[in-house]
mmCIF file of all heavy atoms in Angstrom:
data_model
loop_
_atom_site.group_PDB
_atom_site.id
_atom_site.type_symbol
_atom_site.label_atom_id
_atom_site.label_comp_id
_atom_site.label_asym_id
_atom_site.label_seq_id
_atom_site.Cartn_x
_atom_site.Cartn_y
_atom_site.Cartn_z
ATOM 1 N N PRO A 1 0.802 -1.212 -0.011
ATOM 2 C CA PRO A 1 0.013 0.018 -0.025
ATOM 3 C C PRO A 1 0.869 1.283 -0.017
ATOM 4 O O PRO A 1 1.878 1.316 0.646
ATOM 5 C CB PRO A 1 -0.808 -0.133 1.300
ATOM 6 C CG PRO A 1 -0.914 -1.587 1.516
ATOM 7 C CD PRO A 1 0.438 -2.185 1.069
ATOM 8 N N VAL A 2 0.450 2.286 -0.730
ATOM 9 C CA VAL A 2 1.181 3.557 -0.884
ATOM 10 C C VAL A 2 0.308 4.615 -0.187
ATOM 11 O O VAL A 2 -0.873 4.774 -0.304
ATOM 12 C CB VAL A 2 1.305 3.879 -2.371
ATOM 13 C CG1 VAL A 2 1.995 5.176 -2.499
ATOM 14 C CG2 VAL A 2 2.004 2.760 -3.161
ATOM 15 N N LYS A 3 1.080 5.446 0.620
ATOM 16 C CA LYS A 3 0.436 6.574 1.327
ATOM 17 C C LYS A 3 0.278 7.685 0.299
ATOM 18 O O LYS A 3 1.215 8.169 -0.213
ATOM 19 C CB LYS A 3 1.285 7.008 2.486
ATOM 20 C CG LYS A 3 1.425 5.937 3.595
ATOM 21 C CD LYS A 3 2.448 6.425 4.629
ATOM 22 C CE LYS A 3 2.575 5.325 5.733
ATOM 23 N NZ LYS A 3 3.582 5.621 6.704
ATOM 24 N N CYS A 4 -0.979 8.065 0.079
ATOM 25 C CA CYS A 4 -1.298 8.996 -0.961
ATOM 26 C C CYS A 4 -2.001 10.304 -0.355
ATOM 27 O O CYS A 4 -2.891 10.093 0.509
ATOM 28 C CB CYS A 4 -2.168 8.390 -2.025
ATOM 29 S SG CYS A 4 -1.461 7.106 -2.928
ATOM 30 N N PHE A 5 -1.645 11.401 -0.895
ATOM 31 C CA PHE A 5 -2.384 12.601 -0.744
ATOM 32 C C PHE A 5 -3.226 12.842 -2.004
ATOM 33 O O PHE A 5 -2.694 12.787 -3.097
ATOM 34 C CB PHE A 5 -1.491 13.850 -0.516
ATOM 35 C CG PHE A 5 -0.780 13.876 0.819
ATOM 36 C CD1 PHE A 5 0.462 13.230 0.962
ATOM 37 C CD2 PHE A 5 -1.289 14.595 1.894
ATOM 38 C CE1 PHE A 5 1.115 13.284 2.207
ATOM 39 C CE2 PHE A 5 -0.674 14.609 3.108
ATOM 40 C CZ PHE A 5 0.543 13.953 3.257
ATOM 41 N N VAL A 6 -4.515 13.063 -1.844
ATOM 42 C CA VAL A 6 -5.332 13.492 -2.953
ATOM 43 C C VAL A 6 -5.088 14.966 -3.257
ATOM 44 O O VAL A 6 -5.267 15.797 -2.377
ATOM 45 C CB VAL A 6 -6.803 13.141 -2.681
ATOM 46 C CG1 VAL A 6 -7.677 13.784 -3.803
ATOM 47 C CG2 VAL A 6 -7.034 11.691 -2.650
ATOM 48 N N GLN A 7 -4.750 15.264 -4.495
ATOM 49 C CA GLN A 7 -4.429 16.671 -4.831
ATOM 50 C C GLN A 7 -5.731 17.448 -5.228
ATOM 51 O O GLN A 7 -6.523 16.940 -6.066
ATOM 52 C CB GLN A 7 -3.489 16.741 -5.965
ATOM 53 C CG GLN A 7 -3.080 18.125 -6.314
ATOM 54 C CD GLN A 7 -1.824 18.254 -7.285
ATOM 55 O OE1 GLN A 7 -1.278 17.213 -7.597
ATOM 56 N NE2 GLN A 7 -1.589 19.480 -7.725
ATOM 57 N N VAL A 8 -5.951 18.572 -4.538
ATOM 58 C CA VAL A 8 -7.150 19.395 -4.736
ATOM 59 C C VAL A 8 -6.781 20.741 -5.289
ATOM 60 O O VAL A 8 -5.900 21.395 -4.636
ATOM 61 C CB VAL A 8 -7.970 19.471 -3.458
ATOM 62 C CG1 VAL A 8 -9.331 20.224 -3.693
ATOM 63 C CG2 VAL A 8 -8.211 18.101 -2.766
ATOM 64 N N ASN A 9 -7.375 21.114 -6.288
ATOM 65 C CA ASN A 9 -7.095 22.463 -6.844
ATOM 66 C C ASN A 9 -8.126 23.458 -6.249
ATOM 67 O O ASN A 9 -9.115 23.738 -6.895
ATOM 68 C CB ASN A 9 -7.226 22.405 -8.445
ATOM 69 C CG ASN A 9 -6.867 23.750 -9.081
ATOM 70 O OD1 ASN A 9 -6.573 24.759 -8.402
ATOM 71 N ND2 ASN A 9 -6.956 23.825 -10.415
ATOM 72 N N VAL A 10 -7.874 23.794 -5.039
ATOM 73 C CA VAL A 10 -8.852 24.638 -4.303
ATOM 74 C C VAL A 10 -9.049 26.001 -4.978
ATOM 75 O O VAL A 10 -10.193 26.483 -5.054
ATOM 76 C CB VAL A 10 -8.409 24.848 -2.845
ATOM 77 C CG1 VAL A 10 -9.393 25.804 -2.059
ATOM 78 C CG2 VAL A 10 -8.260 23.586 -2.107
ATOM 79 N N SER A 11 -8.002 26.623 -5.485
ATOM 80 C CA SER A 11 -8.032 27.887 -6.108
ATOM 81 C C SER A 11 -8.768 27.904 -7.421
ATOM 82 O O SER A 11 -9.173 28.970 -7.867
ATOM 83 C CB SER A 11 -6.699 28.523 -6.165
ATOM 84 O OG SER A 11 -5.909 27.802 -7.164
ATOM 85 N N GLY A 12 -8.818 26.733 -8.077
ATOM 86 C CA GLY A 12 -9.400 26.676 -9.386
ATOM 87 C C GLY A 12 -8.562 27.276 -10.547
ATOM 88 O O GLY A 12 -9.127 27.437 -11.639
ATOM 89 N N GLU A 13 -7.349 27.480 -10.288
ATOM 90 C CA GLU A 13 -6.435 28.009 -11.279
ATOM 91 C C GLU A 13 -6.188 27.002 -12.360
ATOM 92 O O GLU A 13 -5.939 25.830 -12.148
ATOM 93 C CB GLU A 13 -5.137 28.440 -10.687
ATOM 94 C CG GLU A 13 -5.209 29.605 -9.769
ATOM 95 C CD GLU A 13 -3.849 29.895 -9.106
ATOM 96 O OE1 GLU A 13 -3.583 29.237 -8.119
ATOM 97 O OE2 GLU A 13 -3.091 30.702 -9.657
ATOM 98 N N GLU A 14 -6.289 27.419 -13.667
ATOM 99 C CA GLU A 14 -6.109 26.501 -14.753
ATOM 100 C C GLU A 14 -4.671 25.971 -14.816
ATOM 101 O O GLU A 14 -4.487 24.816 -15.339
ATOM 102 C CB GLU A 14 -6.434 27.237 -16.093
ATOM 103 C CG GLU A 14 -7.955 27.360 -16.353
ATOM 104 C CD GLU A 14 -8.298 27.959 -17.683
ATOM 105 O OE1 GLU A 14 -7.392 27.987 -18.535
ATOM 106 O OE2 GLU A 14 -9.460 28.376 -17.815
ATOM 107 N N SER A 15 -3.781 26.734 -14.290
ATOM 108 C CA SER A 15 -2.327 26.251 -14.334
ATOM 109 C C SER A 15 -2.043 25.172 -13.320
ATOM 110 O O SER A 15 -0.955 24.555 -13.368
ATOM 111 C CB SER A 15 -1.417 27.448 -14.065
ATOM 112 O OG SER A 15 -1.677 27.999 -12.753
ATOM 113 N N LYS A 16 -2.993 24.881 -12.450
ATOM 114 C CA LYS A 16 -2.763 23.848 -11.393
ATOM 115 C C LYS A 16 -3.535 22.608 -11.641
ATOM 116 O O LYS A 16 -4.566 22.571 -12.190
ATOM 117 C CB LYS A 16 -3.130 24.447 -10.059
ATOM 118 C CG LYS A 16 -2.174 25.511 -9.547
ATOM 119 C CD LYS A 16 -2.467 25.957 -8.149
ATOM 120 C CE LYS A 16 -1.354 26.788 -7.519
ATOM 121 N NZ LYS A 16 -1.032 28.023 -8.281
ATOM 122 N N HIS A 17 -2.856 21.483 -11.270
ATOM 123 C CA HIS A 17 -3.492 20.125 -11.354
ATOM 124 C C HIS A 17 -4.341 19.939 -10.124
ATOM 125 O O HIS A 17 -4.266 20.697 -9.123
ATOM 126 C CB HIS A 17 -2.400 19.040 -11.460
ATOM 127 C CG HIS A 17 -1.628 19.060 -12.724
ATOM 128 N ND1 HIS A 17 -2.124 18.431 -13.838
ATOM 129 C CD2 HIS A 17 -0.517 19.692 -13.088
ATOM 130 C CE1 HIS A 17 -1.186 18.618 -14.869
ATOM 131 N NE2 HIS A 17 -0.250 19.349 -14.454
ATOM 132 N N GLY A 18 -5.149 18.871 -10.205
ATOM 133 C CA GLY A 18 -5.897 18.535 -9.027
ATOM 134 C C GLY A 18 -7.441 18.517 -9.208
ATOM 135 O O GLY A 18 -7.919 19.083 -10.257
ATOM 136 N N LEU A 19 -8.089 17.888 -8.332
ATOM 137 C CA LEU A 19 -9.573 17.875 -8.388
ATOM 138 C C LEU A 19 -10.205 19.121 -7.820
ATOM 139 O O LEU A 19 -9.603 19.836 -7.030
ATOM 140 C CB LEU A 19 -10.062 16.648 -7.511
ATOM 141 C CG LEU A 19 -9.558 15.278 -7.982
ATOM 142 C CD1 LEU A 19 -9.545 14.329 -6.739
ATOM 143 C CD2 LEU A 19 -10.525 14.747 -9.012
ATOM 144 N N SER A 20 -11.422 19.412 -8.284
ATOM 145 C CA SER A 20 -12.126 20.511 -7.643
ATOM 146 C C SER A 20 -12.578 20.062 -6.290
ATOM 147 O O SER A 20 -12.635 18.790 -5.962
ATOM 148 C CB SER A 20 -13.325 20.934 -8.463
ATOM 149 O OG SER A 20 -14.292 19.836 -8.496
ATOM 150 N N LYS A 21 -12.965 20.946 -5.465
ATOM 151 C CA LYS A 21 -13.472 20.604 -4.128
ATOM 152 C C LYS A 21 -14.641 19.703 -4.199
ATOM 153 O O LYS A 21 -14.803 18.684 -3.414
ATOM 154 C CB LYS A 21 -13.841 21.821 -3.331
ATOM 155 C CG LYS A 21 -12.660 22.684 -2.836
ATOM 156 C CD LYS A 21 -13.091 23.751 -1.807
ATOM 157 C CE LYS A 21 -14.143 24.693 -2.345
ATOM 158 N NZ LYS A 21 -14.589 25.655 -1.353
ATOM 159 N N GLU A 22 -15.576 19.953 -5.179
ATOM 160 C CA GLU A 22 -16.758 19.195 -5.340
ATOM 161 C C GLU A 22 -16.472 17.745 -5.822
ATOM 162 O O GLU A 22 -17.301 16.796 -5.478
ATOM 163 C CB GLU A 22 -17.700 19.873 -6.338
ATOM 164 C CG GLU A 22 -18.256 21.225 -5.928
ATOM 165 C CD GLU A 22 -17.175 22.352 -5.889
ATOM 166 O OE1 GLU A 22 -16.197 22.192 -6.730
ATOM 167 O OE2 GLU A 22 -17.311 23.328 -5.116
ATOM 168 N N GLU A 23 -15.382 17.575 -6.547
ATOM 169 C CA GLU A 23 -15.084 16.258 -7.048
ATOM 170 C C GLU A 23 -14.367 15.304 -5.991
ATOM 171 O O GLU A 23 -14.308 14.157 -6.141
ATOM 172 C CB GLU A 23 -14.149 16.392 -8.278
ATOM 173 C CG GLU A 23 -14.779 16.992 -9.522
ATOM 174 C CD GLU A 23 -13.688 17.306 -10.568
ATOM 175 O OE1 GLU A 23 -12.573 17.710 -10.193
ATOM 176 O OE2 GLU A 23 -14.080 17.204 -11.761
ATOM 177 N N THR A 24 -13.815 15.952 -5.014
ATOM 178 C CA THR A 24 -12.823 15.277 -4.105
ATOM 179 C C THR A 24 -13.481 14.129 -3.301
ATOM 180 O O THR A 24 -12.959 12.995 -3.360
ATOM 181 C CB THR A 24 -12.208 16.288 -3.107
ATOM 182 O OG1 THR A 24 -11.478 17.271 -3.895
ATOM 183 C CG2 THR A 24 -11.158 15.561 -2.224
ATOM 184 N N ILE A 25 -14.534 14.360 -2.614
ATOM 185 C CA ILE A 25 -15.132 13.300 -1.811
ATOM 186 C C ILE A 25 -15.675 12.127 -2.704
ATOM 187 O O ILE A 25 -15.391 10.969 -2.353
ATOM 188 C CB ILE A 25 -16.256 13.804 -0.856
ATOM 189 C CG1 ILE A 25 -15.513 14.585 0.291
ATOM 190 C CG2 ILE A 25 -17.070 12.725 -0.272
ATOM 191 C CD1 ILE A 25 -16.467 15.252 1.287
ATOM 192 N N PRO A 26 -16.420 12.393 -3.772
ATOM 193 C CA PRO A 26 -16.766 11.243 -4.595
ATOM 194 C C PRO A 26 -15.529 10.443 -5.130
ATOM 195 O O PRO A 26 -15.661 9.249 -5.296
ATOM 196 C CB PRO A 26 -17.515 11.963 -5.811
ATOM 197 C CG PRO A 26 -18.014 13.217 -5.256
ATOM 198 C CD PRO A 26 -17.088 13.643 -4.225
ATOM 199 N N PHE A 27 -14.496 11.191 -5.449
ATOM 200 C CA PHE A 27 -13.293 10.482 -5.894
ATOM 201 C C PHE A 27 -12.666 9.621 -4.806
ATOM 202 O O PHE A 27 -12.393 8.451 -5.070
ATOM 203 C CB PHE A 27 -12.247 11.574 -6.302
ATOM 204 C CG PHE A 27 -10.875 11.002 -6.706
ATOM 205 C CD1 PHE A 27 -10.656 10.312 -7.923
ATOM 206 C CD2 PHE A 27 -9.822 11.103 -5.847
ATOM 207 C CE1 PHE A 27 -9.436 9.741 -8.219
ATOM 208 C CE2 PHE A 27 -8.550 10.512 -6.208
ATOM 209 C CZ PHE A 27 -8.371 9.819 -7.352
ATOM 210 N N ILE A 28 -12.643 10.126 -3.621
ATOM 211 C CA ILE A 28 -12.108 9.316 -2.505
ATOM 212 C C ILE A 28 -12.959 8.150 -2.278
ATOM 213 O O ILE A 28 -12.464 7.033 -2.011
ATOM 214 C CB ILE A 28 -11.929 10.186 -1.265
ATOM 215 C CG1 ILE A 28 -10.783 11.173 -1.459
ATOM 216 C CG2 ILE A 28 -11.609 9.331 -0.061
ATOM 217 C CD1 ILE A 28 -10.632 12.215 -0.350
ATOM 218 N N GLN A 29 -14.287 8.291 -2.329
ATOM 219 C CA GLN A 29 -15.247 7.104 -2.147
ATOM 220 C C GLN A 29 -14.989 6.094 -3.233
ATOM 221 O O GLN A 29 -15.141 4.886 -2.990
ATOM 222 C CB GLN A 29 -16.649 7.708 -2.126
ATOM 223 C CG GLN A 29 -16.978 8.438 -0.903
ATOM 224 C CD GLN A 29 -18.333 9.125 -0.948
ATOM 225 O OE1 GLN A 29 -18.741 9.627 -1.994
ATOM 226 N NE2 GLN A 29 -19.015 9.247 0.173
ATOM 227 N N ALA A 30 -14.645 6.513 -4.434
ATOM 228 C CA ALA A 30 -14.368 5.572 -5.548
ATOM 229 C C ALA A 30 -13.091 4.783 -5.341
ATOM 230 O O ALA A 30 -12.880 3.801 -6.058
ATOM 231 C CB ALA A 30 -14.362 6.290 -6.821
ATOM 232 N N LEU A 31 -12.240 5.178 -4.481
ATOM 233 C CA LEU A 31 -10.927 4.520 -4.217
ATOM 234 C C LEU A 31 -11.083 3.292 -3.326
ATOM 235 O O LEU A 31 -10.096 2.571 -3.100
ATOM 236 C CB LEU A 31 -9.932 5.504 -3.597
ATOM 237 C CG LEU A 31 -9.563 6.739 -4.514
ATOM 238 C CD1 LEU A 31 -8.643 7.669 -3.697
ATOM 239 C CD2 LEU A 31 -8.778 6.259 -5.728
ATOM 240 N N GLU A 32 -12.283 3.064 -2.807
ATOM 241 C CA GLU A 32 -12.452 1.960 -1.853
ATOM 242 C C GLU A 32 -11.984 0.582 -2.408
ATOM 243 O O GLU A 32 -11.470 -0.241 -1.683
ATOM 244 C CB GLU A 32 -13.977 1.860 -1.466
ATOM 245 C CG GLU A 32 -14.160 0.769 -0.424
ATOM 246 C CD GLU A 32 -15.652 0.742 0.035
ATOM 247 O OE1 GLU A 32 -16.473 1.392 -0.644
ATOM 248 O OE2 GLU A 32 -15.944 0.134 1.041
ATOM 249 N N LYS A 33 -12.125 0.403 -3.715
ATOM 250 C CA LYS A 33 -11.794 -0.911 -4.251
ATOM 251 C C LYS A 33 -10.299 -1.143 -4.503
ATOM 252 O O LYS A 33 -9.897 -2.235 -4.905
ATOM 253 C CB LYS A 33 -12.516 -1.028 -5.651
ATOM 254 C CG LYS A 33 -12.123 0.009 -6.679
ATOM 255 C CD LYS A 33 -12.994 -0.055 -7.936
ATOM 256 C CE LYS A 33 -12.649 0.997 -8.930
ATOM 257 N NZ LYS A 33 -13.533 1.007 -10.146
ATOM 258 N N PHE A 34 -9.486 -0.094 -4.266
ATOM 259 C CA PHE A 34 -8.052 -0.204 -4.443
ATOM 260 C C PHE A 34 -7.321 -0.541 -3.178
ATOM 261 O O PHE A 34 -7.186 0.251 -2.288
ATOM 262 C CB PHE A 34 -7.493 1.086 -5.106
ATOM 263 C CG PHE A 34 -8.114 1.464 -6.384
ATOM 264 C CD1 PHE A 34 -8.965 2.514 -6.514
ATOM 265 C CD2 PHE A 34 -7.849 0.694 -7.534
ATOM 266 C CE1 PHE A 34 -9.554 2.813 -7.719
ATOM 267 C CE2 PHE A 34 -8.468 1.029 -8.780
ATOM 268 C CZ PHE A 34 -9.267 2.094 -8.863
ATOM 269 N N SER A 35 -6.761 -1.775 -3.082
ATOM 270 C CA SER A 35 -6.183 -2.214 -1.886
ATOM 271 C C SER A 35 -4.776 -1.584 -1.682
ATOM 272 O O SER A 35 -4.270 -1.615 -0.594
ATOM 273 C CB SER A 35 -6.028 -3.701 -1.911
ATOM 274 O OG SER A 35 -5.119 -4.159 -2.928
ATOM 275 N N LYS A 36 -4.166 -1.093 -2.736
ATOM 276 C CA LYS A 36 -2.801 -0.489 -2.622
ATOM 277 C C LYS A 36 -2.782 1.022 -2.381
ATOM 278 O O LYS A 36 -1.696 1.568 -2.382
ATOM 279 C CB LYS A 36 -2.017 -0.837 -3.947
ATOM 280 C CG LYS A 36 -1.927 -2.306 -4.271
ATOM 281 C CD LYS A 36 -0.980 -2.979 -3.272
ATOM 282 C CE LYS A 36 -0.933 -4.510 -3.542
ATOM 283 N NZ LYS A 36 -0.534 -4.848 -4.915
ATOM 284 N N ILE A 37 -3.997 1.619 -2.162
ATOM 285 C CA ILE A 37 -4.030 3.046 -1.938
ATOM 286 C C ILE A 37 -4.495 3.363 -0.568
ATOM 287 O O ILE A 37 -5.629 2.943 -0.235
ATOM 288 C CB ILE A 37 -4.863 3.742 -3.022
ATOM 289 C CG1 ILE A 37 -4.085 3.683 -4.369
ATOM 290 C CG2 ILE A 37 -5.169 5.220 -2.712
ATOM 291 C CD1 ILE A 37 -4.791 4.174 -5.496
#
């Protein structure tokens, strides 16, 4: 298992990577099936 930080683009800047705040929790919930994360 790998210790991961989920990257969130809080500021919404186009130059930055990451999920929007609204996308973050659904994304984390979708990670349940991954045993290595």
Side-chain angles (χ1 to χ4, degrees):
V2 181
K3 294 174 182 173
C4 296
F5 288 87
V6 170
Q7 183 169 354
V8 187
N9 184 359
V10 177
S11 67
E13 292 174 276
E14 286 186 11
S15 60
K16 288 184 167 57
H17 292 272
L19 298 154
S20 69
K21 289 193 299 177
E22 295 73 24
E23 293 170 325
T24 301
I25 287 178
F27 175 74
I28 290 174
Q29 289 171 325
L31 296 173
E32 183 176 13
K33 61 186 177 184
F34 299 110
S35 64
K36 301 291 177 56
I37 289 174

